[in-house]
Amino acid sequence: MMKLFLKLVRDIRQSIGQFIAIVSVIAVGAFFYAGLITYSDILSAYTKAYFKEHNLSDLNVYYSQISKEDVAGLSEIEGINKIEGRYTLDATQAFEGYKASIKIHSIPVNNEINTPAMVEGRVPSKKNEIMLDSHYAKEHQYNVGDKINITSNKKDYSFTISGLCENVEYAKKNEIQDHKTFGVAYMSEETIPEMADGFFYNEVLIDAKEGYDPDQLGKSIEAQSKPLSYLNQVSKERTFSYSKLTETIHNNNLMSKVIPLVLFLIGAIILFLTMSRMIDSQRNQVGIMKALGVKNRTIMLHYMGYPLLVSMIGSILGCSIAAMVFIPLITASSSRAYSLPGIKFALDFYSFLPPMIFSSAFGLLSCYLSGRIVLKERAAQAMRPKPPKKMKMLLIERIPGIWSRISYSYKLILRNILLNKQKALVSSVGVVASTVLLITAFGTHTALLKVADQIEEVYAYDLRVDYATGASSEASNLPSGIKQKFDLSASPVEFIKDDKKEKATLTVTEKENNLIHFFDENKNKLYLGNNGVLVPKSYADKYHIVQGDLIQLKFTAPEFKNKTIEMKVLNISTQYSNPSFYSTPAYLKSFDIDYSPSSLFVEATSSTELVSVRSFFEQDPRVDKITDKNDLKKSAQYIVKQNSFVFIMFIICAVILSFGAIYTISSINIYERNRELATLKVLGYPKYKINRLIFFENIILTTFAVIVALPISGYMYTIIVKALSSAHQQIPDQLNVVVLLAAVVLAFLLTILANLLLRRKVNQIHMIESLKSIE
């Protein structure tokens, strides 16, 4: 057995480049598997434990106001395990150049639902004490014991910070996880009378009994709340934070299975070709071993050592690189995307086992399929050289006037490909798969960049001015530097389709507003009309909405009293980020709803005038918030930043995979034509012409692979886009021609590089050895 092991080492040394290429393919699969499965599993396990430990509410029910006694009355409803009332309000905090919004909740003394994870200090227990979320405090350099001044309902309040925390209900604050302009705080119930002009709650948290249907419970609560000032309710699954986390876990879990499987399949194909070549080239050695009495099983185990060794080294290498590169990157990415105190990502010691077992299984199967034919032969038969294949005329040879005009070199190439169609087809599969990965990776990354770039196309205003609640956007004394202005209002609504509900925004503005542009999927301009609503394509795709349909929108703001309206779909609008339903005041009026603009789009006459215009609005006490296009870009750029490292690694791995596949297949092709190439060398064929034969043949195979890969890439790209997209985020679903060309050019460049590296292998062909008689 030791001699067979030394022979295996010698076989590897003789084709070290091919060995490294196959190891690289396995390592890429192990890299993605270990990284993605670790991220998905740890995030899933952590969130389940985190939600359970801090008792995330199953249902949030909203009222205009509800007393403590009424809350106690609701606790008698069947299916409720625990119930808590709280008072929630919005506040602002002014800083130099901007304002921050703070969502403040009251917290009971015996808090049992949505309990905080304390970072420092304690829960507020006295009047005018407040507990801040630690990320907001860190952003503004607040510490326990500091004073903080806030404004709510045009009144100023001063609080003492009693503690810093993170809360389970705000694991994800908003799309860009902005801690600078948005924070969360908790105050004691003793402060409610001062903030609300009386003691009452406006929100009820429900912890449902295990196994009880929250939707059924919600209907029971709504029925019993008819005498009360009931407004709305949101289940845990529909909350922004919970839905985003579960979506991330699902997508990563899916990718951790699909991507490595594809890579291992490519590895299996390459291993199959490699083992076929190796066993075929060593037929006489197999015959000698059989003649010496070595059992077939021992010979098969010897050759199975190659795929086992490749799988072990590739899996350990891939997992090690994942631990050093992938895990630190997803740790940093997760800390930016979510507020999950104490979460740590670490690669499990046994993470290398699944990719090793999976790739080994493929390798052993390919070895068995490759070697069983040779092992069935008798020793004397195996020791004889393999007889040449029976040649036959090609179809193209039978066409008069064509074959005679083709040069001898191209005749050799065509005969080799067309007489070995199956091998050429199998050889192309690895190149097809790697080209698909290249196109998909380039396309997805380009699509995310396009999301950020659309901001420039859609929004033409210089400033968006949002006024405080109750203040009107109508202003008579505006500065002279304004070129044009348009009013608008943005109301929170629920999109309702059958039994499904989705949070959304309805933006109402004048039909003539040319500071915001709308486009369909073909980049044709759309316009607002007084007879319908523009629907974001992200919602249209998810809920199968088409032009002319009727959709239901339910207003969730208290002043609209849960009014539900049925609106006609005027058109479908492509909105990559911050999608919103758009309508006009006239169409809203047809539903007996008054248009109350709360914001203003402003275009300045020049960049110099913009400074004075902004200064004017900053000094206006009615103005709550001022944003410009750069603020909108942050959301889109955040998505790009969060996903870019994955796709950059994806592109790098696709390049490694492509090169590994092309190099290995080309190397096998050279071996199989050793006798033919040696004959050409003896006949005086120049080296550059021999290299050109191999080069053009590989170029033809790559061209075929690219043609096959293009339609497959479109399908793969669609799947990934669907996984990344949601009703609140649309990703461009069309591959760019530039992306296709870039991926195709890179595939050909890798083919050229592989051919250059294999020139030495062609030069080392031993003419006498290769031309030994086969009679």
Side-chain angles (χ1 to χ4, degrees):
M1 291 299 293
M2 179 55 68
K3 289 183 179 179
L4 289 178
F5 176 74
L6 293 174
K7 176 183 173 297
L8 176 62
V9 174
R10 186 193 66 187
D11 292 339
I12 292 171
R13 288 181 62 186
Q14 285 177 347
S15 301
I16 190 67
Q18 184 175 286
F19 180 80
I20 293 171
I22 300 172
V23 166
S24 300
V25 172
I26 302 297
V28 167
F31 173 82
F32 273 104
Y33 171 83
L36 291 172
I37 204 71
T38 297
Y39 182 49
S40 178
D41 286 353
I42 291 179
L43 188 61
S44 178
Y46 176 90
T47 51
K48 283 180 183 176
Y50 184 46
F51 292 158
K52 185 177 181 180
E53 180 185 356
H54 294 280
N55 201 12
L56 178 65
S57 59
D58 294 302
L59 205 62
N60 288 32
V61 188
Y62 301 94
Y63 299 84
S64 292
Q65 62 181 60
I66 183 172
S67 65
K68 186 178 284 189
E69 292 74 21
D70 288 331
V71 172
L74 292 174
S75 65
E76 303 298 323
I77 296 174
E78 184 183 354
I80 293 180
N81 182 37
K82 293 175 184 175
I83 187 169
E84 284 183 6
R86 70 181 183 184
Y87 183 75
T88 300
L89 73 154
D90 293 312
T92 59
Q93 191 178 10
F95 295 96
E96 187 176 347
Y98 69 96
K99 287 183 180 179
S101 301
I102 304 177
K103 179 74 73 174
I104 302 178
H105 303 288
S106 66
I107 187 168
V109 176
N110 299 316
N111 177 220
E112 294 182 295
I113 304 176
N114 293 355
T115 59
M118 296 304 301
V119 175
E120 186 182 350
R122 58 177 175 80
V123 174
S125 57
K126 301 176 184 177
K127 187 179 179 182
N128 295 331
E129 283 189 339
I130 200 167
M131 178 171 61
L132 287 179
D133 82 72
S134 60
H135 289 286
Y136 181 83
K138 183 180 179 181
E139 191 70 41
H140 298 288
Q141 299 179 347
Y142 284 125
N143 297 305
V144 174
D146 289 352
K147 294 284 185 182
I148 180 173
N149 298 313
I150 64 169
T151 302
S152 179
N153 294 324
K154 300 181 180 180
K155 293 182 181 178
D156 296 327
Y157 300 92
S158 179
F159 289 92
T160 300
I161 300 173
S162 66
L164 305 178
C165 73
E166 290 301 321
N167 199 286
V168 66
E169 63 183 319
Y170 291 104
K172 180 77 172 173
K173 286 182 179 179
N174 45 48
E175 287 287 356
I176 62 171
Q177 198 70 349
D178 180 15
H179 300 298
K180 186 176 182 179
T181 61
F182 180 77
V184 182
Y186 295 86
M187 63 183 184
S188 67
E189 289 192 337
E190 291 183 23
T191 314
I192 294 178
E194 183 180 344
M195 305 289 288
D197 297 326
F199 188 91
F200 58 86
Y201 302 127
N202 58 7
E203 185 179 357
V204 174
L205 306 180
I206 306 292
D207 174 32
K209 289 181 179 177
E210 193 169 346
Y212 206 87
D213 183 12
D215 291 333
Q216 186 61 43
L217 180 58
K219 291 176 182 177
S220 301
I221 292 172
E222 186 174 356
Q224 190 159 328
S225 297
K226 284 184 179 179
L228 307 173
S229 55
Y230 171 83
L231 295 175
N232 193 23
Q233 59 179 270
V234 177
S235 65
K236 174 176 66 178
E237 289 73 20
R238 286 169 50 217
T239 58
F240 179 79
S241 175
Y242 186 88
S243 62
K244 283 293 181 183
L245 270 169
T246 51
E247 184 182 319
T248 299
I249 292 168
H250 171 76
N251 290 343
N252 280 285
N253 191 39
L254 182 66
M255 290 175 70
S256 68
K257 291 178 174 63
V258 174
I259 294 175
L261 177 62
V262 172
L263 297 175
F264 291 144
L265 283 172
I266 297 169
I269 293 168
I270 295 172
L271 274 172
F272 175 77
L273 294 171
T274 303
M275 296 314 299
S276 298
R277 192 271 302 171
M278 182 183 289
I279 295 172
D280 189 49
S281 67
Q282 297 181 5
R283 288 179 76 254
N284 61 336
Q285 295 184 32
V286 172
I288 292 169
M289 285 189 280
K290 288 169 74 74
L292 292 172
V294 181
K295 295 180 180 179
N296 286 350
R297 183 178 60 185
T298 304
I299 298 171
M300 180 62 80
L301 289 174
H302 160 65
Y303 284 107
M304 283 183 172
Y306 189 93
L308 278 175
L309 193 60
V310 164
S311 299
M312 286 177 61
I313 295 174
S315 299
I316 293 171
L317 181 64
C319 292
S320 301
I321 296 173
M324 292 184 290
V325 177
F326 202 105
I327 300 303
L329 285 172
I330 60 172
T331 300
S333 175
S334 179
S335 66
R336 289 194 303 266
Y338 303 104
S339 298
L340 300 171
I343 188 170
K344 293 181 180 178
F345 294 96
L347 205 65
D348 189 84
F349 178 75
Y350 299 102
S351 296
F352 68 91
L353 286 178
M356 185 184 294
I357 293 169
F358 205 67
S359 57
S360 296
F362 278 129
L364 294 176
L365 180 62
S366 65
C367 188
Y368 172 75
L369 294 174
S370 304
R372 62 177 181 167
I373 297 173
V374 176
L375 290 175
K376 283 181 181 178
E377 296 179 351
R378 288 174 298 177
Q381 186 182 357
M383 290 170 69
R384 294 193 189 102
K386 192 175 181 180
K389 287 184 179 180
K390 185 179 179 181
M391 306 302 285
K392 59 182 179 179
M393 286 185 69
L394 303 174
L395 178 62
I396 193 172
E397 291 183 64
R398 298 172 185 174
I399 303 173
I402 294 181
W403 188 253
S404 60
R405 296 184 181 181
I406 299 175
S407 68
Y408 180 69
S409 298
Y410 290 112
K411 284 178 180 178
L412 287 173
I413 293 170
L414 288 172
R415 288 189 66 83
N416 186 58
I417 293 174
L418 297 176
L419 288 174
N420 298 280
K421 297 184 191 74
Q422 291 180 339
K423 190 152 286 186
L425 187 62
V426 173
S427 300
S428 298
V429 170
V431 186
V432 168
S434 54
T435 305
V436 168
L437 291 177
L438 279 173
I439 293 173
T440 306
F442 276 131
T444 311
H445 191 251
T446 304
L448 293 174
L449 293 174
K450 192 175 179 181
V451 170
D453 293 339
Q454 198 204 34
I455 300 296
E456 296 287 345
E457 299 176 9
V458 172
Y459 300 105
Y461 64 81
D462 293 314
L463 294 175
R464 172 173 173 157
V465 182
D466 295 313
Y467 288 85
T469 305
S472 172
S473 67
E474 297 176 2
S476 55
N477 299 321
L478 291 177
S480 57
I482 293 178
K483 183 178 179 180
Q484 55 179 339
K485 65 177 182 66
F486 293 98
D487 293 322
L488 76 151
S489 68
S491 305
V493 295
E494 272 188 344
F495 170 79
I496 303 172
K497 180 73 179 287
D498 301 326
D499 294 330
K500 298 176 182 177
K501 296 179 180 179
E502 188 85 54
K503 285 185 177 181
T505 302
L506 175 64
T507 302
V508 181
T509 188
E510 293 102 319
K511 182 181 176 181
E512 298 77 22
N513 189 345
N514 61 357
L515 296 182
I516 183 167
H517 304 144
F518 305 99
F519 302 93
D520 64 11
E521 60 182 340
N522 297 317
K523 289 194 173 182
N524 298 316
K525 265 200 168 186
L526 301 176
Y527 299 93
L528 293 173
N530 295 328
N531 58 337
V533 61
L534 287 182
V535 175
K537 192 173 184 296
S538 52
Y539 284 82
D541 288 344
K542 184 174 181 179
Y543 294 101
H544 309 292
I545 304 169
V546 296
Q547 185 178 358
D549 282 358
L550 294 175
I551 61 168
Q552 282 189 328
L553 295 180
K554 177 183 177 182
F555 290 88
T556 56
E559 60 268 23
F560 292 103
K561 299 180 180 179
N562 288 332
K563 184 162 185 175
T564 302
I565 59 176
E566 195 171 65
M567 308 180 85
K568 183 181 178 181
V569 178
L570 182 65
N571 229 314
I572 307 298
S573 170
T574 298
Q575 302 174 43
Y576 293 146
S577 58
N578 303 308
S580 177
F581 292 79
Y582 281 88
S583 181
T584 62
Y587 189 55
L588 197 67
K589 187 68 177 176
S590 66
F591 299 100
D592 295 324
I593 298 175
D594 292 328
Y595 170 56
S596 301
S598 57
S599 302
L600 197 67
F601 279 174
V602 174
E603 182 186 12
T605 53
S606 65
S607 56
T608 52
E609 292 286 355
L610 179 60
V611 177
S612 60
V613 170
R614 182 167 191 137
S615 176
F616 171 84
F617 286 113
E618 285 174 347
Q619 295 172 18
D620 190 337
R622 299 173 306 158
V623 172
D624 181 50
K625 187 179 181 182
I626 300 173
T627 55
D628 55 27
K629 283 188 285 189
N630 289 329
D631 296 312
L632 292 172
K633 284 182 181 178
K634 287 180 183 177
S635 176
Q637 288 171 348
Y638 174 84
I639 296 169
V640 174
K641 188 177 181 181
Q642 281 296 101
N643 294 282
S644 61
F645 83 89
V646 173
F647 289 107
I648 288 170
M649 285 193 294
F650 198 26
I651 290 168
I652 293 171
C653 290
V655 169
I656 294 170
L657 179 63
S658 297
F659 180 76
I662 293 167
Y663 183 90
T664 306
I665 291 163
S666 299
S667 177
I668 291 167
N669 186 31
I670 291 169
Y671 159 73
E672 290 178 341
R673 300 178 66 187
N674 263 3
R675 182 177 175 80
E676 179 189 329
L677 298 175
T679 303
L680 291 173
K681 289 178 78 172
V682 169
L683 293 174
Y685 225 60
K687 287 182 182 179
Y688 77 91
K689 283 192 176 183
I690 295 175
N691 284 317
R692 194 168 63 181
L693 281 177
I694 305 295
F695 174 76
F696 276 116
E697 189 167 319
N698 287 335
I699 289 292
I700 290 170
L701 289 175
T702 302
T703 303
F704 171 76
V706 165
I707 293 170
V708 174
L710 289 176
I712 299 174
S713 301
Y715 177 72
M716 283 288 294
Y717 178 71
T718 303
I719 292 174
I720 290 180
V721 164
K722 282 183 179 178
L724 289 174
S725 300
S726 67
H728 305 283
Q729 178 67 56
Q730 181 188 343
I731 305 293
D733 58 358
Q734 294 179 349
L735 281 169
N736 193 308
V737 176
V738 176
V739 168
L740 295 174
L741 286 174
V744 168
V745 168
L746 184 55
F748 280 103
L749 287 174
L750 291 171
T751 302
I752 294 168
L753 178 61
N755 277 280
L756 291 174
L757 293 175
L758 286 166
R759 288 169 67 96
R760 184 175 59 88
K761 202 159 192 170
V762 176
N763 295 334
Q764 289 177 344
I765 293 175
H766 198 286
M767 289 183 284
I768 297 175
E769 184 73 25
S770 300
L771 291 172
K772 281 181 181 177
S773 175
I774 59 173
E775 283 75 25

